[in-house]
Amino acid sequence: MSLRILLMRFGIAAAGGALLAFAATTPAAGADQEDPRESKQIAKGEVIARTGVLRGAPTRGGAVVRVAPYGEIVKIYCRSEGQNVSGDRQWHLLVDGTWARGSAQYIEAYRTPRLCA
């Protein structure tokens, strides 16, 4: 093997190692941006219904997106008015990957969520 080829291979290996070290110590692009699901504006709450049906719209006729089990801790993005459920018109928009809505009658918020825009 010629000296020239050996030096080329060494240079490529050194450059690759330097690139790896740089990538390991540099934050990813956008890493300083806050994930909206982890925002300080997110309130947490607990499902207090036996079966917490989460819907796509703030009405009892809205499509069922998923069912949350009793006691599940959920992240509430905001609250808005919707269909009356047992005297309560407040609905929570949940941040769990599905953006489902649940009646405030069945989700007890630990603090009052902000209003939806």
Side-chain angles (χ1 to χ4, degrees):
M1 182 180 305
S2 74
L3 181 61
R4 182 174 156 214
I5 292 174
L6 186 61
L7 288 174
M8 254 179 33
R9 287 184 178 175
F10 178 74
I12 291 170
L19 184 60
L20 252 170
F22 178 75
T25 59
T26 306
D32 59 338
Q33 294 177 348
E34 196 169 304
D35 184 346
R37 295 171 292 179
E38 299 299 327
S39 169
K40 292 177 183 164
Q41 295 180 350
I42 301 295
K44 289 188 178 180
E46 183 176 351
V47 176
I48 57 174
R50 289 185 187 169
T51 56
V53 174
L54 303 177
R55 302 184 179 277
T59 65
R60 290 193 281 186
V64 174
V65 175
R66 75 176 184 93
V67 176
Y70 176 83
E72 180 180 338
I73 305 301
V74 293
K75 294 178 182 178
I76 304 168
Y77 184 71
C78 61
R79 64 186 163 88
S80 63
E81 283 200 9
Q83 185 178 25
N84 186 332
V85 176
S86 301
D88 194 345
R89 295 187 60 85
Q90 293 295 310
W91 285 70
H92 299 308
L93 178 58
L94 305 181
V95 183
D96 67 350
T98 59
W99 291 92
R101 292 186 178 267
S103 170
Q105 184 69 26
Y106 304 122
I107 299 172
E108 184 178 331
Y110 296 148
R111 65 176 173 86
T112 304
R114 66 188 175 102
L115 287 172
C116 296

